[in-house]
Amino acid sequence: MTKNFFFLTTMCFLSAVFCLAQKPETSKPAPVIYFTDLYHPHGDPDDHFDLACLFSLAEQGYIDIKGVVIDYPPQFRRGDPALAAVAQLNRICALNVPTIVGCSTLPAKKGDTLPNLSKRDAASINWIIETLRKSGQPVAMVIVGSATDVAVAAKREPELFRQKCSSIYLNSGATHQPKPEMLEWNVKLNPAAYSTLFELTCPLYWFPCWSMCEERKSGEWGTFYWLPHSTAFDGVSIPAKHYFWFMFSRSSEPFYLRNLMNDVPADDWNKILKDRRGMWSTASLLTLAGQTVTKTGKIVPIGEAGGEKLYQMEPVKVLTEDNGRVKWEQTNEKTQISVFHVLDVPAYPDAMSTAVQTLLRKLPEF
C-alpha cells in the first residue's frame, strides 16, 4: 500500500511538472506605431478620445506603443501637434512613449517616395524605418489621420515592410459615396498616400469612417457612432478628467502635468457632460489588441464573442486611384485586405459607447 501510494504521488508530481513545462508563455504585447492628426487647440476632440483609449490598452498590457506620429498640421489648422496630450497620458500611465512630428510634404501620386525631402522633413519617415529595423517582432501601424508617413516609408523600404510590418489598421474613407468626387476627411488629407496603402504587402484592416460618406449616423459598413460624454466619462479618474478638460477648454496653462491630480472646474465639467462626440476609430484599436465588443458593450477576446459579436472583418478586393477613390467588393478568396462590417447596426452605438467607458475607466488615479 505504501509503495503504491508513493508511486502514485510521484507520478502526479511528474505529471504536474510536465504540464507546467508545456504551458505556453504569456504572449508579448503587440508593438504598434500610432499615426494621428492630434492638435492643441484641437481640430476634432475624437482624436484625444482615441489616444486615451490607445493608452488604456497599453495600461492593460495588450499593446506596446513604440511611438505616436502626429501629422504636420496643414495651414487651415489652428493648433500645432498636441505634444502635451501625449505627455499627460505618459504621466497618467507611467509610460515613456516618444512623440514624432510627421512629414509636411505630400506625395502627388501613388507610390511616391519623395526622394528629395529635406533631412528635417524626412525625420519621421526615417524614424519609422529605423524602428522597424530594430524591432524584434513585426510592428502594427494604426492610422487615424493622414497616411503620408506610412505610405512613403513603405515605398522606400518595401522588403522591410514585408518582413516587419505585421498589419495596418486604416481608419479612413467611406464604403459608399453619393458623389464620386466626395472624399472622407482623412482621405482628403492625402488621397495618393491613402490609395498607396491598399497596394502594400502587409495585411490591411480597413475601417471606413462612413458607411455613406458624411452621413452622421451608424451604418452597416462604417465605424461612425455618437458617443454621449455622460457615458464616456462616468467613473473616470481625476487625471483622466483633467486630460480631457485641458483639451476641451483649449487651455494654455503651463502646468499641464503638475495639475493632473487636481479636479477640474465643476461648471466646465457639467457643460462637457451634456455634449456628445462623433467617434470612428474605437473598433480598430480593440481589434489591434485582439479584443472585440459584444452587442451589450462588453469587451472580450475576439474568439469569445460567439453569437453576441457586434462586428467583424471580412475579406474584400479593392481597386484604387491616385485621387483617393476606391472600388471594393466582397470576396470568398483569401486576400490581404479586410473591411469592417457591423452585424447589428441598432445595437452598435450604445455598445461602442459602453466599451469606451470601460477603456477610459482603466486610466489610473495617481
Side-chain angles (χ1 to χ4, degrees):
M1 180 72 178
T2 303
K3 289 182 179 180
N4 288 340
F5 177 80
F6 177 79
F7 175 77
L8 290 172
T9 303
T10 303
M11 291 302 294
C12 288
F13 173 77
L14 291 175
S15 177
V17 170
F18 178 78
C19 289
L20 286 172
Q22 295 298 308
K23 185 178 179 180
E25 294 183 6
T26 303
S27 58
K28 294 181 179 179
V32 57
I33 302 174
Y34 186 72
F35 300 83
T36 175
D37 52 339
L38 181 81
Y39 306 120
H40 189 83
H42 57 272
D44 189 330
D46 74 297
D47 296 304
H48 285 75
F49 280 79
D50 292 337
L51 190 72
C53 290
L54 181 81
F55 270 77
S56 172
L57 291 168
E59 166 71 18
Q60 297 174 69
Y62 289 116
I63 60 173
D64 175 16
I65 311 171
K66 294 300 182 183
V68 173
V69 181
I70 303 178
D71 292 348
Y72 190 89
Q75 289 295 324
F76 55 82
R77 282 299 191 200
R78 284 183 57 206
D80 270 347
L83 307 182
V86 181
Q88 287 172 325
L89 288 168
N90 268 331
R91 181 68 177 170
I92 292 170
C93 296
L95 296 174
N96 291 291
V97 176
T99 310
I100 301 91
V101 177
C103 175
S104 67
T105 303
L106 305 182
K109 59 183 180 180
K110 287 193 296 182
D112 193 349
T113 61
L114 300 178
N116 299 318
L117 282 181
S118 67
K119 182 179 179 180
R120 181 177 295 106
D121 225 12
S124 58
I125 294 163
N126 292 336
W127 177 86
I128 295 166
I129 291 169
E130 190 62 23
T131 300
L132 291 182
R133 283 184 178 142
K134 289 180 178 178
S135 179
Q137 62 186 113
V139 178
M141 304 193 183
V142 179
I143 302 171
V144 302
S146 168
T148 298
D149 297 276
V150 177
V152 175
K155 284 301 180 179
R156 286 190 175 191
E157 294 285 347
E159 182 59 23
L160 177 66
F161 264 69
R162 189 187 68 80
Q163 294 179 4
K164 288 293 190 72
C165 175
S166 64
S167 48
I168 294 174
Y169 297 79
L170 178 62
N171 294 273
S172 299
T175 47
H176 300 92
Q177 295 173 225
K179 298 178 181 179
E181 67 275 11
M182 183 181 287
L183 296 176
E184 180 272 328
W185 177 265
N186 287 342
V187 178
K188 285 193 286 188
L189 292 174
N190 195 332
Y194 167 75
S195 296
T196 296
L197 296 188
F198 289 92
E199 300 178 355
L200 302 184
T201 54
C202 11
L204 177 71
Y205 296 91
W206 182 29
F207 293 83
C209 295
W210 304 112
S211 190
M212 181 63 71
C213 195
E214 298 298 333
E215 188 174 82
R216 290 183 174 266
K217 65 179 184 179
S218 297
E220 185 179 1
W221 296 98
T223 58
F224 176 81
Y225 66 97
W226 285 112
L227 170 68
H229 288 175
S230 58
T231 300
F233 297 138
D234 183 33
V236 300
S237 67
I238 288 177
K241 285 175 67 175
H242 196 95
Y243 162 83
F244 283 105
W245 172 83
F246 184 88
M247 176 270 294
F248 276 119
S249 66
R250 294 176 166 84
S251 175
S252 58
E253 68 172 29
F255 305 124
Y256 59 86
L257 288 184
R258 279 179 277 179
N259 282 347
L260 282 173
M261 68 283 293
N262 299 331
D263 210 345
V264 303
D267 288 345
D268 289 359
W269 192 246
N270 288 332
K271 290 178 183 177
I272 290 170
L273 289 179
K274 293 176 183 177
D275 205 352
R276 64 177 182 171
R277 185 61 37 220
M279 293 286 285
W280 290 270
S281 306
T282 314
S284 70
L285 302 179
L286 289 166
T287 304
L288 162 73
Q291 306 295 299
T292 192
V293 180
T294 68
K295 295 176 183 179
T296 58
K298 187 177 180 181
I299 298 174
V300 298
I302 288 175
E304 297 180 11
E308 286 298 301
K309 189 169 18 176
L310 183 65
Y311 54 80
Q312 66 187 18
M313 304 303 295
E314 299 185 6
V316 289
K317 293 181 178 180
V318 178
L319 294 175
T320 67
E321 301 176 17
D322 284 342
N323 59 14
R325 295 173 193 159
V326 300
K327 294 180 180 179
W328 66 281
E329 61 180 21
Q330 292 177 267
T331 179
N332 293 322
E333 300 175 16
K334 186 176 180 180
T335 67
Q336 287 278 87
I337 305 171
S338 56
V339 68
F340 175 80
H341 184 198
V342 180
L343 302 178
D344 190 334
V345 175
Y348 178 72
D350 286 346
M352 296 305 289
S353 298
T354 299
V356 169
Q357 179 191 86
T358 300
L359 290 173
L360 296 186
R361 283 179 173 180
K362 295 292 185 180
L363 296 173
E365 295 280 4
F366 283 175

